[in-house]
């Protein structure tokens, strides 16, 4: 398969305009933008670092040499890119991006599943640790992140279905699970103390895989069942 990075101008949301296409030559699992650089989780190719200084002519600058990459988060206060692996029990890495064209892997963490979704906040890495196959178990993991790029596991909660994604808004972490068939759940944790998360709400959904939150409390969830919006 050929995977491309698409850059779209949404100055007029009702009339999006594609301005550039870049052939990644491999997987495109997740995309993050920081300044003039785009970071793409590119599976077995690691993380692709693309220079978008000239937005209509993106250029591949380099690749961060992780053994696999399926999810990403930024810890800008430490100049770190956090990477989740698409290999079971491989966990993920911290990558120094103080010089984006010379990314350096400096830390590693381990989980039992696949790090399918990451979110960084308040000095902690929140991980949706799920499965890609027929097994339907997963967990919500929290690691403290140090400026050195080192990780310390501080909390874990097992769930009966694969944990697909996580997003943090204010003092709450929201995760979406999926049983790899038709049933999902939205699970909310109170994380005022990230080392002692408290599950406060669970709601049944149909097949869902990704979640994002906005500072005003809007939650968006997407998957095979379509789009859910919550406040």
């Amino acid at each position: 398969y050929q995977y491309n990075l698409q850059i779209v101008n949404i100055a007029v949301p009702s009339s999006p305009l594609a301005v550039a296409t870049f052939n990644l030559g491999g997987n495109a699992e997740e995309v993050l933008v920081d300044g003039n650089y785009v970071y793409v989780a590119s599976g077995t190719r690691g993380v692709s670092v693309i220079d978008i200084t000239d937005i209509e002519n993106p250029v591949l600058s380099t690749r961060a040499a992780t053994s696999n990459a399926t999810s990403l988060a930024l810890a800008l206060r430490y100049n770190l890119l956090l990477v989740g692996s698409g290999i079971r029990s491989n966990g993920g890495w911290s990558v120094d991006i103080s010089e984006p064209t010379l990314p350096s892997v400096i830390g590693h963490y381990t989980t039992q599943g696949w790090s399918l979704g990451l979110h960084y906040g308040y000095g902690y890495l929140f991980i949706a640790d799920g499965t890609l196959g027929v097994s339907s178990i997963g967990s919500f993991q929290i690691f403290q992140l140090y400026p050195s790029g080192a990780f310390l596991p501080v909390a874990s909660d097992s769930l009966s279905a694969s944990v697909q994604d996580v997003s943090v808004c204010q003092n709450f972490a929201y995760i979406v699970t999926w049983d790899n068939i038709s049933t999902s759940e939205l699970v909310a944790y109170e994380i005022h103390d990230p080392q002692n998360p408290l599950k406060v709400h669970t709601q049944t959904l149909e097949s869902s895989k990704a979640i994002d939150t906005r500072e005003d409390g809007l939650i968006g969830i997407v998957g095979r069942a379509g789009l859910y919006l919550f406040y």
Side-chain angles (χ1 to χ4, degrees), residues 120-165:
Y120 171 78
Y122 314 119
Y124 293 86
L125 177 62
F126 301 88
I127 304 171
D129 197 43
T131 61
L132 295 174
V134 295
S135 175
S136 60
I137 61 172
S139 66
F140 173 45
Q141 303 279 339
I142 303 176
F143 283 71
Q144 188 170 359
L145 176 66
Y146 294 95
S148 65
F151 299 91
L152 176 68
V154 296
S156 176
D157 190 26
S158 296
L159 291 104
S160 60
S162 176
V163 182
Q164 298 291 302
D165 201 6

Side-chain angles (χ1 to χ4, degrees), residues 9 15-16 53 69-70 92 94 101 123 140 163 196-197 201 203:
N9 186 331
S15 300
T53 303
T70 192
S94 56
T101 61
F140 173 45
V163 182
N196 294 284
H201 180 76
Q203 183 161 343

Side-chain angles (χ1 to χ4, degrees), residues 7-8 10 12 21-22 24 47 73 85 130 151 171 213 215 222:
I7 300 177
V8 180
I10 56 170
V12 181
T21 299
F22 182 82
L24 292 163
V47 178
S85 174
F151 299 91
N171 287 327
T213 55
E215 284 302 311
V222 295

Side-chain angles (χ1 to χ4, degrees), residues 86-103:
I87 299 175
R88 186 174 185 179
S89 301
N90 210 20
W93 305 268
S94 56
V95 180
D96 184 345
I97 55 170
S98 52
E99 174 48 68
T101 61
L102 296 171

Side-chain angles (χ1 to χ4, degrees), residues 54-231:
D54 180 354
I55 196 68
E56 295 185 5
N57 295 284
V59 177
L60 178 66
S61 292
T62 187
R63 298 186 194 272
T66 61
S67 61
N68 201 289
T70 192
S71 54
L72 302 172
L74 284 167
L76 293 178
R77 63 185 293 190
Y78 301 146
N79 288 317
L80 294 176
L81 176 70
L82 308 176
V83 183
S85 174
I87 299 175
R88 186 174 185 179
S89 301
N90 210 20
W93 305 268
S94 56
V95 180
D96 184 345
I97 55 170
S98 52
E99 174 48 68
T101 61
L102 296 171
S104 175
V105 178
I106 58 175
H108 180 254
Y109 66 87
T110 301
T111 63
Q112 292 185 348
W114 288 260
S115 297
L116 299 181
L118 305 179
H119 192 113
Y120 171 78
Y122 314 119
Y124 293 86
L125 177 62
F126 301 88
I127 304 171
D129 197 43
T131 61
L132 295 174
V134 295
S135 175
S136 60
I137 61 172
S139 66
F140 173 45
Q141 303 279 339
I142 303 176
F143 283 71
Q144 188 170 359
L145 176 66
Y146 294 95
S148 65
F151 299 91
L152 176 68
V154 296
S156 176
D157 190 26
S158 296
L159 291 104
S160 60
S162 176
V163 182
Q164 298 291 302
D165 201 6
V166 57
S167 188
V168 173
C169 180
Q170 300 176 16
N171 287 327
F172 294 88
Y174 300 93
I175 68 171
V176 60
T177 72
W178 182 41
D179 66 358
N180 291 305
I181 303 174
S182 61
T183 302
S184 290
E185 286 186 335
L186 168 63
V187 184
Y189 290 84
E190 199 280 324
I191 54 166
H192 179 76
D193 176 5
Q195 300 193 21
N196 294 284
L198 177 65
K199 187 188 298 182
V200 295
H201 180 76
T202 301
Q203 183 161 343
T204 300
L205 311 172
E206 294 184 20
S207 303
S208 299
K209 292 199 66 177
I211 186 169
D212 200 4
T213 55
R214 205 167 64 182
E215 284 302 311
D216 64 357
L218 181 66
I219 303 169
I221 300 172
V222 295
R224 292 181 180 177
L227 170 67
Y228 289 96
L229 293 175
F230 296 92
Y231 266 112

